[in-house]
Amino acid sequence: MPLQEILEAEFDVPASIDNDANAAALGEHRFGAGLGYENLLYITVSTGVGGGWILNGQIWHGSEGMAGEIGHTVVDPNGPACTCGKRGCLERLAAGLYIARRAREWLETQPGQGQVLRRLINDDLEAVTAQLVSQAAEQGDDLAWEVLEIAGWALGVGIGNAANLVNPQRFILGGGVTKAGGRYWEVVRRAARETAMPEVHFDVVPADLGDDAPLWGAAVLAENCLRPPRFIQSARF
Ligand SMILES: [Zn+2]
């Protein structure tokens, strides 16, 4: 759908559109944890996993607008089947939806385990969410922690691979799952470090702007619309 043209025709002003992960990357780059970093990957880990690149200070869309789909990079070729048709995608292992699903399956098949989590959900398996899994893990539930550890490992492996391939300075992680606590972050950072080459340097930090990151990014997109393109600006001098 030609959304940009529709908006421009309707409101009679220049319009710019982008997906939420790219907009969030732009927001964090300009106003948040990416301030001062020209090369970064923003990753949102919530029900799914999405990503947006900022390279040389600009959104990098790729040749078809598909850049940043880190959620469907494969971290375990023998892993579970993903909705995209492949196996062991990062999203299939690290996203909130699948954290909850794995915890549910393990609670079903391991009767004596996960007592804290079982209490939190009142023994109602349908009530399992990623948030409750991380809450249970924080309270010392081994089953919940193991589920979360797999998720953190998968995310870290994806980050390490992306670091090797593109060599950004910083990875910024947002989305509900990344609120899982220090132990989860340790696993993510360790797996990323172990996957990347020793010569490849980067850091992995939490997002600053939370759920508002795409809105801040949209403001930047609007601002860019009102500015003449760079080559015209530089041609003046
Ligand atoms: Zn996939």
Side-chain angles (χ1 to χ4, degrees):
M1 187 194 282
L3 190 56
Q4 185 178 341
E5 286 81 358
I6 292 170
L7 289 170
E8 287 181 341
E10 180 70 23
F11 297 106
D12 198 24
V13 291
S16 180
I17 59 160
D18 215 316
N19 71 42
D20 54 349
N22 286 341
L26 199 57
E28 289 288 343
H29 167 63
R30 183 72 179 277
F31 302 109
L35 203 59
Y37 290 78
E38 291 298 282
N39 298 294
L40 63 87
L41 179 63
Y42 170 85
I43 306 173
T44 172
V45 190
S46 55
T47 45
V49 176
W53 283 106
I54 299 291
L55 298 177
N56 297 326
Q58 311 281 326
I59 297 180
W60 173 253
H61 291 103
S63 62
E64 295 176 301
M66 291 300 289
E69 288 293 346
I70 191 167
H72 296 283
T73 53
V74 174
V75 295
D76 178 8
N78 300 313
C82 182
T83 49
C84 75
K86 298 192 305 287
R87 286 190 167 275
C89 288
L90 193 163
E91 173 172 289
R92 183 60 183 79
L93 298 168
L97 194 66
Y98 298 110
I99 290 173
R101 185 189 290 187
R102 187 185 293 265
R104 211 173 288 133
E105 284 166 5
W106 284 10
L107 287 174
E108 257 170 350
T109 53
Q110 302 176 35
Q113 303 295 313
Q115 293 309 323
V116 178
L117 183 55
R118 285 180 201 278
R119 257 201 316 277
L120 287 175
I121 59 168
N122 264 331
D123 277 327
D124 174 12
L125 289 181
E126 291 309 307
V128 178
T129 62
Q131 200 184 350
L132 289 176
V133 172
S134 61
Q135 206 176 314
E138 240 168 70
Q139 292 173 28
D141 188 307
D142 288 341
L143 181 145
W145 168 243
E146 272 181 58
V147 172
L148 207 55
E149 196 177 23
I150 291 169
W153 168 84
L155 179 59
V157 170
I159 288 172
N161 282 326
N164 281 344
L165 205 57
V166 183
N167 191 203
Q169 300 150 290
R170 173 161 275 199
F171 292 85
I172 301 173
L173 310 185
V177 174
T178 64
K179 298 186 177 88
R183 218 165 145 209
Y184 167 82
W185 277 82
E186 266 171 42
V187 173
V188 174
R189 289 189 171 114
R190 192 169 60 237
R193 196 54 271 163
E194 285 172 2
T195 304
M197 294 165 70
E199 297 87 347
V200 176
H201 301 102
F202 58 89
D203 59 12
V204 184
V205 301
D208 263 357
L209 305 175
D211 296 341
D212 290 340
L215 300 178
W216 286 103
V220 181
L221 286 173
E223 191 188 64
N224 289 347
C225 265
L226 302 173
R227 230 186 243 160
R230 220 177 234 190
F231 66 90
I232 297 177
Q233 281 182 330
S234 57
R236 286 195 199 131
F237 299 101

